[in-house]
């Protein structure tokens, strides 16, 4: 079947789409990294060799394979080749601790794990209950011989596509099982995004859903994906100019660092048509700066790796709504509920829950956690809890207040850290900042701030007084600490739990 027919059908698999692209545009570059690239014809043949090797090793359909590696052509080959064998890929963050990596491999149940050299060194001396294949000469030797065809498999919409392990910002990472139907929805919904002739530059890791929601449509529609092994703002601009990039997905901290490059305006970015952002709060001021100086549409997505509902903000078309995360995508149902699970009235704040064609099967091996993440409406429809608190404005744009778990309840008052962070960030000496809640003898909890200074002479006491003078009496920071760099996950989320735990361990809880 031709790729065009598949892409307009009710369901198709990514391995079949790659096969069609190989026949129709075989010489086009499919994936590139810092040192190599691969066209669709070669990609298709390599997927056969990976799938055949997995079958040779007794890895059965619907099993999982694990990958611990930085983004690369080889990493992508194994991920996509596993799909052709009917397996699910479990990409794991190499930035996790060795003990965490070993635990995630074990949790996935993968009989085989693929490592790059850095991961191999990091895991030296650790016992891994799986066959280990390292990228490079060992991987080349492991592959089935050129021309080998795997046994065909029948892949259904509900079959697992991948397991994405959560970032761990709220504790032990959970394996989020996503189906072929969910990933098909991600590909299919991008019919108007121009991915067929896209050159998409990606600077986030392949174990992140943030990356995959752009990488998979790029490959599914027959575009070119350029992978950065490690993000560097200037190198990103150089690659974007070199490849004449048309599409990108970045997280807010990356946009911030790119826009701060001193000679940003000297780079030719005129080829860009579609820039997107997700995964962390994207300030209205930063969105406005990107709109003013970087060509192409700017789209912000709000959603979860677990699925549920997605909102979309076309920042280019709605410059007065930059404080929001947009409106629900067509076919996505997003509602707000109170602590008792009842829907709130229009304009009131509530916990975000969502339902759409793109929803996880559940957490791998954790049915209790899956049930805790679900909410059902009066008609029995399944929704996923997003864990955020927000409200809809009069035009149906969703305005997020904060993560529900980050809400600070001080003296009976609800304090949203994002409100305090917005004020703290306005001080001219503050380059980056966050606010967390810590235990307080007097109030139960109290807000404490952390900031990265723009220069060595920043006066913490002055910044604290300046910020509190602009906050309500119940919102004021009880303390402010300077820090060299805020701890963040690989996709830019501030690890507030680390900061909170650090203060508690140091005995810096508040008595007032």
């Amino acid at each position: 079947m031709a790729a065009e027919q598949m892409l307009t059908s009710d369901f198709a698999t990514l391995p079949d789409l790659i096969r069609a692209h190989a026949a129709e545009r075989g010489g086009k570059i499919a994936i590139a990294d810092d040192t190599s690239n691969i066209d669709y014809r070669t990609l298709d043949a390599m997927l056969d060799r990976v799938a055949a090797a997995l079958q040779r090793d007794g890895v059965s359909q619907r099993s999982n394979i694990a990958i611990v590696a930085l983004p690369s052509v080889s990493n992508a080959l194994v991920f996509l080749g596993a799909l052709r064998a009917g397996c699910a890929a479990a990409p794991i963050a190499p930035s996790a601790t060795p003990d965490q990596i070993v635990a995630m491999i074990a949790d996935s149940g993968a009989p085989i794990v693929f490592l790059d050299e850095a991961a191999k060194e990091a895991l030296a001396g650790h016992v891994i209950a799986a066959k280990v294949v390292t990228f490079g000469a060992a991987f080349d030797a492991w592959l089935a011989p050129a021309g080998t065809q795997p046994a065909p498999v029948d892949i259904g919409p509900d079959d697992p596509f991948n397991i994405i392990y959560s970032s761990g910002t709220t504790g032990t990472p959970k394996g989020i099982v996503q189906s072929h139907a969910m990933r098909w929805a991600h590909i299919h919904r991008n019919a108007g995004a121009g991915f067929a002739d896209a050159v998409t530059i990606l600077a986030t890791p392949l174990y992140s859903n943030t990356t995959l929601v752009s990488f998979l449509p790029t490959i599914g529609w027959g575009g070119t994906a350029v992978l950065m092994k490690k993000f560097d703002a200037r190198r990103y601009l150089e690659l974007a100019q070199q490849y004449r990039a048309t599409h990108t997905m970045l997280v807010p901290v990356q946009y911030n660092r790119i826009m701060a490059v001193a000679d940003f305006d000297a780079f030719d970015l005129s080829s860009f048509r579609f820039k997107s952002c997700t995964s962390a709060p994207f300030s209205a001021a930063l969105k406005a700066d990107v709109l003013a100086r970087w060509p192409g549409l700017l789209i912000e997505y709000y959603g979860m790796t677990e699925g549920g509902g997605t909102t979309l903000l076309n920042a280019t078309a709605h410059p007065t709504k930059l404080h929001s995360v947009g409106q629900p995508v067509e076919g996505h149902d997003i509602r707000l509920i109170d602590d008792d699970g009842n829907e709130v009235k229009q304009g009131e704040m509530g916990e975000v829950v969502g339902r759409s064609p793109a929803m996880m099967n559940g957490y791998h091996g954790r049915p209790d956690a899956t049930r805790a993440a679900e909410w059902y409406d009066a008609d029995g429809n399944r929704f996923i809890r997003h864990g955020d608190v927000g409200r809809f404005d009069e035009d149906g744009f969703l305005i997020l207040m904060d993560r529900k778990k980050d809400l600070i309840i001080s003296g009976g008052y609800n304090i949203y850290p994002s409100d305090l962070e917005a004020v703290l960030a306005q001080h001219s000496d503050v380059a980056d900042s966050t606010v967390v809640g810590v235990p307080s003898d007097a109030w139960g909890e109290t807000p404490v701030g952390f900031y990265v200074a723009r220069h060595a002479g920043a006066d913490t006491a002055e910044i604290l007084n300046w910020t509190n003078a602009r906050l309500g009496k119940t919102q004021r920071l009880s303390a402010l600490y300077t820090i060299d760099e805020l701890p963040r996950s690989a996709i830019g989320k501030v690890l507030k739990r680390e900061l909170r735990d650090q203060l508690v361990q140091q005995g810096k809880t508040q008595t007032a």
Side-chain angles (χ1 to χ4, degrees):
M1 184 184 295
E4 184 177 357
Q5 290 177 282
M6 292 185 197
L7 288 164
T8 55
S9 67
D10 292 333
F11 174 72
T13 70
L14 189 56
D16 286 348
L17 282 167
I18 292 171
R19 182 85 77 195
H21 292 319
E24 297 168 14
R25 54 179 73 186
K28 181 177 181 179
I29 297 300
I31 307 169
D33 62 23
D34 292 344
T35 60
S36 62
N37 61 63
I38 188 169
D39 62 30
Y40 274 97
R41 187 179 299 110
T42 308
L43 174 63
D44 181 54
M46 289 295 287
L47 298 196
D48 280 345
R49 296 177 67 186
V50 171
L54 289 172
Q55 293 173 346
R56 175 201 66 210
D57 287 359
V59 182
S60 60
Q61 185 176 359
R62 299 183 185 86
S63 295
N64 306 317
I65 64 98
I67 308 168
V68 190
L70 294 174
S72 68
V73 170
S74 295
N75 186 333
L77 285 178
V78 169
F79 191 120
L80 299 172
L83 300 179
R84 182 159 285 174
C87 301
I92 293 171
S95 57
T97 67
D99 287 345
Q100 289 173 327
I101 292 172
V102 170
M104 284 186 275
I105 294 170
D107 181 80
S108 74
I112 185 168
V113 58
F114 297 85
L115 310 177
D116 63 13
E117 285 293 338
K120 178 183 177 182
E121 290 179 13
L123 294 173
H126 288 75
V127 178
I128 299 174
K131 178 176 181 176
V132 175
V133 177
T134 305
F135 290 133
F139 175 68
D140 294 341
W142 171 84
L143 283 168
T148 305
Q149 293 291 308
V153 295
D154 184 21
I155 298 172
D158 294 331
D159 286 348
F161 183 104
N162 58 249
I163 301 176
I164 300 295
Y165 281 89
S166 64
S167 63
T169 59
T170 59
T172 303
K174 297 184 289 289
I176 301 164
V177 182
Q178 298 169 319
S179 66
H180 277 266
M182 180 175 182
R183 289 309 192 185
W184 168 245
H186 290 153
I187 295 170
H188 194 253
R189 77 183 183 192
N190 280 290
F195 278 109
D197 62 349
V199 177
T200 304
I201 184 167
L202 297 167
T204 47
L206 278 173
Y207 62 78
S208 166
N209 196 60
T210 296
T211 310
L212 294 174
V213 294
S214 287
F215 173 74
L216 299 176
T218 300
I219 301 302
W221 284 90
T224 298
V226 180
L227 306 175
M228 290 187 72
K229 289 191 175 183
K230 184 177 180 181
F231 174 71
D232 173 81
R234 173 168 292 280
R235 180 59 180 155
Y236 174 93
L237 290 169
E238 291 169 350
L239 286 172
Q241 182 172 264
Q242 174 188 340
Y243 280 95
R244 301 294 295 162
T246 62
H247 292 55
T248 197
M249 168 68 86
L250 296 163
V251 296
V253 67
Q254 291 174 329
Y255 275 108
N256 188 51
R257 291 174 183 174
I258 290 169
M259 301 308 294
V261 171
D263 57 345
F264 169 87
D265 296 319
F267 288 88
D268 180 5
L269 305 179
S270 60
S271 57
F272 273 97
R273 305 196 305 265
F274 190 96
K275 304 181 301 300
S276 53
C277 184
T278 191
S279 296
F282 194 10
S283 74
L286 181 54
K287 293 176 198 175
D289 190 25
V290 175
L291 286 175
R293 298 200 287 143
W294 194 337
L297 286 175
L298 176 61
I299 304 293
E300 180 180 13
Y301 293 102
Y302 162 70
M304 296 181 67
T305 302
E306 289 88 337
T310 298
T311 65
L312 182 153
L313 173 66
N314 184 332
T316 307
H318 298 285
T320 64
K321 298 290 188 179
L322 301 186
H323 60 291
S324 79
V325 292
Q327 298 168 303
V329 171
E330 184 178 354
H332 290 227
D333 185 355
I334 293 182
R335 306 184 195 179
L336 305 177
I337 61 173
D338 62 22
D339 290 340
D340 296 321
N342 302 311
E343 292 186 51
V344 303
K345 296 177 182 178
Q346 168 60 34
E348 293 183 354
M349 289 189 296
E351 180 184 354
V352 181
V353 297
R355 171 179 171 81
S356 73
M359 296 170 69
M360 70 171 178
N361 292 9
Y363 292 116
H364 180 62
R366 301 181 68 173
D368 291 345
T370 299
R371 284 192 292 272
E374 298 170 333
W375 176 81
Y376 290 84
D377 68 8
D379 296 323
N381 294 310
R382 175 178 179 251
F383 287 69
I384 300 294
R385 292 176 178 266
H386 286 218
D388 293 305
V389 175
R391 66 177 178 84
F392 283 105
D393 71 11
E394 63 280 2
D395 298 316
F397 286 74
L398 180 61
I399 300 170
L400 295 180
M401 305 305 295
D402 245 309
R403 295 290 294 169
K404 187 175 181 180
K405 66 180 178 63
D406 289 333
L407 174 69
I408 301 168
I409 302 177
S410 182
Y413 291 94
N414 289 349
I415 299 174
Y416 294 97
S418 60
D419 291 339
L420 284 61
E421 290 163 353
V423 175
L424 182 56
Q426 293 173 21
H427 194 286
S428 60
D429 290 343
V430 174
D432 199 4
S433 60
T434 195
V435 172
V436 302
V438 299
S440 164
D441 293 341
W443 306 108
E445 283 187 300
T446 190
V448 169
F450 291 83
Y451 79 100
V452 177
R454 290 192 184 278
H455 56 80
D459 185 333
T460 300
E462 186 276 327
I463 296 172
L464 176 62
N465 292 333
W466 182 93
T467 301
N468 282 341
R470 288 159 176 78
L471 293 171
K473 185 177 179 180
T474 61
Q475 295 178 302
R476 292 172 184 166
L477 297 172
S478 61
L480 179 65
Y481 301 100
T482 183
I483 191 170
D484 291 337
E485 185 176 11
L486 295 180
R488 294 181 184 271
S489 70
I491 55 172
K493 293 181 181 179
V494 177
L495 302 177
K496 293 192 176 190
R497 179 170 50 84
E498 288 190 9
L499 295 171
R500 188 181 298 113
D501 291 349
Q502 177 183 328
L503 288 180
V504 172
Q505 290 168 5
Q506 293 174 352
K508 292 182 179 179
T509 55
Q510 304 300 304
T511 57

